[in-house]
PDB file of all heavy atoms in Angstrom:
ATOM      1  N   ALA D 257      80.944 119.749  91.559  1.00  0.00           N
ATOM      2  CA  ALA D 257      81.317 119.759  90.195  1.00  0.00           C
ATOM      3  C   ALA D 257      81.592 121.102  89.651  1.00  0.00           C
ATOM      4  O   ALA D 257      82.560 121.270  88.896  1.00  0.00           O
ATOM      5  CB  ALA D 257      80.289 119.029  89.259  1.00  0.00           C
ATOM      6  N   LEU D 258      80.721 122.053  89.984  1.00  0.00           N
ATOM      7  CA  LEU D 258      81.059 123.445  89.504  1.00  0.00           C
ATOM      8  C   LEU D 258      82.281 124.064  90.140  1.00  0.00           C
ATOM      9  O   LEU D 258      83.020 124.806  89.625  1.00  0.00           O
ATOM     10  CB  LEU D 258      79.861 124.336  89.898  1.00  0.00           C
ATOM     11  CG  LEU D 258      78.623 124.101  88.896  1.00  0.00           C
ATOM     12  CD1 LEU D 258      77.463 124.930  89.577  1.00  0.00           C
ATOM     13  CD2 LEU D 258      78.895 124.562  87.591  1.00  0.00           C
ATOM     14  N   LYS D 259      82.585 123.632  91.403  1.00  0.00           N
ATOM     15  CA  LYS D 259      83.765 124.022  92.178  1.00  0.00           C
ATOM     16  C   LYS D 259      84.967 123.179  91.799  1.00  0.00           C
ATOM     17  O   LYS D 259      86.049 123.371  92.450  1.00  0.00           O
ATOM     18  CB  LYS D 259      83.551 124.021  93.626  1.00  0.00           C
ATOM     19  CG  LYS D 259      82.519 124.991  94.103  1.00  0.00           C
ATOM     20  CD  LYS D 259      82.759 126.458  93.865  1.00  0.00           C
ATOM     21  CE  LYS D 259      83.965 126.852  94.742  1.00  0.00           C
ATOM     22  NZ  LYS D 259      84.344 128.280  94.612  1.00  0.00           N
ATOM     23  N   ASP D 260      84.831 122.162  90.952  1.00  0.00           N
ATOM     24  CA  ASP D 260      85.897 121.266  90.531  1.00  0.00           C
ATOM     25  C   ASP D 260      86.507 120.490  91.780  1.00  0.00           C
ATOM     26  O   ASP D 260      87.719 120.323  91.886  1.00  0.00           O
ATOM     27  CB  ASP D 260      87.097 121.950  89.907  1.00  0.00           C
ATOM     28  CG  ASP D 260      86.714 122.438  88.466  1.00  0.00           C
ATOM     29  OD1 ASP D 260      85.985 121.729  87.780  1.00  0.00           O
ATOM     30  OD2 ASP D 260      87.146 123.588  88.154  1.00  0.00           O
ATOM     31  N   VAL D 261      85.569 120.088  92.685  1.00  0.00           N
ATOM     32  CA  VAL D 261      85.967 119.374  93.912  1.00  0.00           C
ATOM     33  C   VAL D 261      85.571 117.939  93.728  1.00  0.00           C
ATOM     34  O   VAL D 261      84.258 117.682  93.348  1.00  0.00           O
ATOM     35  CB  VAL D 261      85.360 119.933  95.134  1.00  0.00           C
ATOM     36  CG1 VAL D 261      85.628 119.131  96.380  1.00  0.00           C
ATOM     37  CG2 VAL D 261      85.814 121.386  95.415  1.00  0.00           C
ATOM     38  N   LYS D 262      86.415 116.960  93.826  1.00  0.00           N
ATOM     39  CA  LYS D 262      86.064 115.634  93.734  1.00  0.00           C
ATOM     40  C   LYS D 262      85.553 115.058  95.116  1.00  0.00           C
ATOM     41  O   LYS D 262      85.907 115.411  96.166  1.00  0.00           O
ATOM     42  CB  LYS D 262      87.279 114.748  93.333  1.00  0.00           C
ATOM     43  CG  LYS D 262      87.866 115.179  91.965  1.00  0.00           C
ATOM     44  CD  LYS D 262      86.991 114.634  90.823  1.00  0.00           C
ATOM     45  CE  LYS D 262      87.629 114.869  89.522  1.00  0.00           C
ATOM     46  NZ  LYS D 262      86.772 114.425  88.509  1.00  0.00           N
ATOM     47  N   MET D 263      84.561 114.011  95.094  1.00  0.00           N
ATOM     48  CA  MET D 263      84.111 113.387  96.209  1.00  0.00           C
ATOM     49  C   MET D 263      85.208 112.861  97.013  1.00  0.00           C
ATOM     50  O   MET D 263      85.254 112.790  98.240  1.00  0.00           O
ATOM     51  CB  MET D 263      83.059 112.446  95.926  1.00  0.00           C
ATOM     52  CG  MET D 263      81.576 112.928  95.650  1.00  0.00           C
ATOM     53  SD  MET D 263      80.974 113.860  97.161  1.00  0.00           S
ATOM     54  CE  MET D 263      80.993 112.539  98.338  1.00  0.00           C
ATOM     55  N   GLU D 264      86.253 112.260  96.292  1.00  0.00           N
ATOM     56  CA  GLU D 264      87.374 111.710  96.902  1.00  0.00           C
ATOM     57  C   GLU D 264      88.159 112.691  97.950  1.00  0.00           C
ATOM     58  O   GLU D 264      88.640 112.262  98.904  1.00  0.00           O
ATOM     59  CB  GLU D 264      88.379 111.160  95.908  1.00  0.00           C
ATOM     60  CG  GLU D 264      89.489 110.252  96.376  1.00  0.00           C
ATOM     61  CD  GLU D 264      90.374 109.644  95.388  1.00  0.00           C
ATOM     62  OE1 GLU D 264      89.973 109.724  94.179  1.00  0.00           O
ATOM     63  OE2 GLU D 264      91.392 109.073  95.658  1.00  0.00           O
ATOM     64  N   GLU D 265      88.128 114.027  97.455  1.00  0.00           N
ATOM     65  CA  GLU D 265      88.773 114.958  98.353  1.00  0.00           C
ATOM     66  C   GLU D 265      87.923 115.106  99.574  1.00  0.00           C
ATOM     67  O   GLU D 265      88.474 115.312 100.647  1.00  0.00           O
ATOM     68  CB  GLU D 265      88.891 116.183  97.523  1.00  0.00           C
ATOM     69  CG  GLU D 265      89.710 116.137  96.333  1.00  0.00           C
ATOM     70  CD  GLU D 265      89.693 117.519  95.489  1.00  0.00           C
ATOM     71  OE1 GLU D 265      90.122 118.602  96.106  1.00  0.00           O
ATOM     72  OE2 GLU D 265      89.273 117.492  94.356  1.00  0.00           O
ATOM     73  N   VAL D 266      86.590 115.082  99.353  1.00  0.00           N
ATOM     74  CA  VAL D 266      85.749 115.226 100.603  1.00  0.00           C
ATOM     75  C   VAL D 266      85.952 114.109 101.663  1.00  0.00           C
ATOM     76  O   VAL D 266      86.028 114.363 102.806  1.00  0.00           O
ATOM     77  CB  VAL D 266      84.299 115.389 100.224  1.00  0.00           C
ATOM     78  CG1 VAL D 266      83.309 115.451 101.303  1.00  0.00           C
ATOM     79  CG2 VAL D 266      84.094 116.572  99.261  1.00  0.00           C
ATOM     80  N   LEU D 267      85.938 112.938 100.948  1.00  0.00           N
ATOM     81  CA  LEU D 267      86.014 111.690 101.878  1.00  0.00           C
ATOM     82  C   LEU D 267      87.355 111.619 102.524  1.00  0.00           C
ATOM     83  O   LEU D 267      87.505 111.165 103.653  1.00  0.00           O
ATOM     84  CB  LEU D 267      85.809 110.449 101.087  1.00  0.00           C
ATOM     85  CG  LEU D 267      84.371 110.376 100.441  1.00  0.00           C
ATOM     86  CD1 LEU D 267      84.274 109.103  99.529  1.00  0.00           C
ATOM     87  CD2 LEU D 267      83.371 110.366 101.563  1.00  0.00           C
ATOM     88  N   ASP D 268      88.453 112.109 101.810  1.00  0.00           N
ATOM     89  CA  ASP D 268      89.770 112.268 102.431  1.00  0.00           C
ATOM     90  C   ASP D 268      89.736 113.063 103.705  1.00  0.00           C
ATOM     91  O   ASP D 268      90.358 112.729 104.711  1.00  0.00           O
ATOM     92  CB  ASP D 268      90.688 112.659 101.427  1.00  0.00           C
ATOM     93  CG  ASP D 268      92.152 112.859 101.998  1.00  0.00           C
ATOM     94  OD1 ASP D 268      92.854 111.852 102.305  1.00  0.00           O
ATOM     95  OD2 ASP D 268      92.626 113.973 102.105  1.00  0.00           O
ATOM     96  N   ILE D 269      89.081 114.199 103.626  1.00  0.00           N
ATOM     97  CA  ILE D 269      89.131 115.171 104.801  1.00  0.00           C
ATOM     98  C   ILE D 269      88.226 114.507 105.912  1.00  0.00           C
ATOM     99  O   ILE D 269      88.554 114.556 107.065  1.00  0.00           O
ATOM    100  CB  ILE D 269      88.303 116.391 104.320  1.00  0.00           C
ATOM    101  CG1 ILE D 269      89.247 117.286 103.362  1.00  0.00           C
ATOM    102  CG2 ILE D 269      87.988 117.329 105.518  1.00  0.00           C
ATOM    103  CD1 ILE D 269      88.574 118.455 102.719  1.00  0.00           C
ATOM    104  N   LEU D 270      87.129 113.778 105.614  1.00  0.00           N
ATOM    105  CA  LEU D 270      86.305 113.080 106.535  1.00  0.00           C
ATOM    106  C   LEU D 270      87.108 112.015 107.299  1.00  0.00           C
ATOM    107  O   LEU D 270      87.189 111.911 108.434  1.00  0.00           O
ATOM    108  CB  LEU D 270      85.078 112.503 105.927  1.00  0.00           C
ATOM    109  CG  LEU D 270      83.928 113.415 105.677  1.00  0.00           C
ATOM    110  CD1 LEU D 270      82.876 112.680 104.822  1.00  0.00           C
ATOM    111  CD2 LEU D 270      83.431 114.154 106.852  1.00  0.00           C
ATOM    112  N   ARG D 271      87.970 111.283 106.502  1.00  0.00           N
ATOM    113  CA  ARG D 271      88.770 110.201 107.017  1.00  0.00           C
ATOM    114  C   ARG D 271      89.847 110.716 108.016  1.00  0.00           C
ATOM    115  O   ARG D 271      90.039 110.231 109.075  1.00  0.00           O
ATOM    116  CB  ARG D 271      89.376 109.374 105.956  1.00  0.00           C
ATOM    117  CG  ARG D 271      90.334 108.311 106.376  1.00  0.00           C
ATOM    118  CD  ARG D 271      90.853 107.357 105.252  1.00  0.00           C
ATOM    119  NE  ARG D 271      91.104 108.084 104.084  1.00  0.00           N
ATOM    120  CZ  ARG D 271      92.243 108.737 103.827  1.00  0.00           C
ATOM    121  NH1 ARG D 271      93.093 108.767 104.803  1.00  0.00           N
ATOM    122  NH2 ARG D 271      92.480 109.387 102.772  1.00  0.00           N
ATOM    123  N   ARG D 272      90.446 111.932 107.615  1.00  0.00           N
ATOM    124  CA  ARG D 272      91.534 112.436 108.443  1.00  0.00           C
ATOM    125  C   ARG D 272      90.842 113.018 109.753  1.00  0.00           C
ATOM    126  O   ARG D 272      91.541 113.303 110.698  1.00  0.00           O
ATOM    127  CB  ARG D 272      92.238 113.517 107.670  1.00  0.00           C
ATOM    128  CG  ARG D 272      93.186 112.976 106.698  1.00  0.00           C
ATOM    129  CD  ARG D 272      94.154 113.929 106.067  1.00  0.00           C
ATOM    130  NE  ARG D 272      93.466 114.576 104.895  1.00  0.00           N
ATOM    131  CZ  ARG D 272      93.151 115.901 104.899  1.00  0.00           C
ATOM    132  NH1 ARG D 272      93.465 116.535 105.961  1.00  0.00           N
ATOM    133  NH2 ARG D 272      92.621 116.422 103.833  1.00  0.00           N
ATOM    134  N   ARG D 273      89.605 113.308 109.747  1.00  0.00           N
ATOM    135  CA  ARG D 273      88.930 113.865 110.942  1.00  0.00           C
ATOM    136  C   ARG D 273      88.559 112.757 111.970  1.00  0.00           C
ATOM    137  O   ARG D 273      88.129 112.979 113.096  1.00  0.00           O
ATOM    138  CB  ARG D 273      87.682 114.635 110.572  1.00  0.00           C
ATOM    139  CG  ARG D 273      87.949 115.986 109.882  1.00  0.00           C
ATOM    140  CD  ARG D 273      86.738 116.722 109.593  1.00  0.00           C
ATOM    141  NE  ARG D 273      87.074 117.914 108.858  1.00  0.00           N
ATOM    142  CZ  ARG D 273      85.960 118.780 108.319  1.00  0.00           C
ATOM    143  NH1 ARG D 273      84.719 118.424 108.460  1.00  0.00           N
ATOM    144  NH2 ARG D 273      86.318 119.871 107.757  1.00  0.00           N
ATOM    145  N   PHE D 274      88.658 111.403 111.428  1.00  0.00           N
ATOM    146  CA  PHE D 274      88.110 110.351 112.462  1.00  0.00           C
ATOM    147  C   PHE D 274      88.860 110.407 113.766  1.00  0.00           C
ATOM    148  O   PHE D 274      88.230 110.180 114.793  1.00  0.00           O
ATOM    149  CB  PHE D 274      88.420 108.985 111.639  1.00  0.00           C
ATOM    150  CG  PHE D 274      87.471 108.761 110.558  1.00  0.00           C
ATOM    151  CD1 PHE D 274      87.675 107.676 109.676  1.00  0.00           C
ATOM    152  CD2 PHE D 274      86.373 109.501 110.485  1.00  0.00           C
ATOM    153  CE1 PHE D 274      86.906 107.390 108.692  1.00  0.00           C
ATOM    154  CE2 PHE D 274      85.469 109.297 109.263  1.00  0.00           C
ATOM    155  CZ  PHE D 274      85.712 108.173 108.424  1.00  0.00           C
ATOM    156  N   SER D 275      90.115 110.674 113.885  1.00  0.00           N
ATOM    157  CA  SER D 275      90.903 110.659 114.994  1.00  0.00           C
ATOM    158  C   SER D 275      90.964 111.986 115.800  1.00  0.00           C
ATOM    159  O   SER D 275      91.646 112.191 116.735  1.00  0.00           O
ATOM    160  CB  SER D 275      92.324 110.159 114.762  1.00  0.00           C
ATOM    161  OG  SER D 275      93.017 110.974 113.874  1.00  0.00           O
ATOM    162  N   GLN D 276      90.090 112.960 115.336  1.00  0.00           N
ATOM    163  CA  GLN D 276      90.112 114.289 115.882  1.00  0.00           C
ATOM    164  C   GLN D 276      88.671 114.693 116.321  1.00  0.00           C
ATOM    165  O   GLN D 276      87.756 114.409 115.527  1.00  0.00           O
ATOM    166  CB  GLN D 276      90.647 115.374 114.807  1.00  0.00           C
ATOM    167  CG  GLN D 276      90.723 116.699 115.304  1.00  0.00           C
ATOM    168  CD  GLN D 276      91.304 117.612 114.170  1.00  0.00           C
ATOM    169  OE1 GLN D 276      91.032 117.341 113.004  1.00  0.00           O
ATOM    170  NE2 GLN D 276      91.921 118.694 114.624  1.00  0.00           N
TER     171      GLN D 276
END
Side-chain angles (χ1 to χ4, degrees):
L258 286 173
K259 297 293 293 180
D260 292 322
V261 175
K262 298 287 188 181
M263 278 301 299
E264 186 172 355
E265 298 174 65
V266 177
L267 296 177
D268 177 68
I269 292 173
L270 286 174
R271 174 170 44 77
R272 286 189 277 113
R273 290 179 181 175
F274 286 169
S275 58
Q276 186 179 25

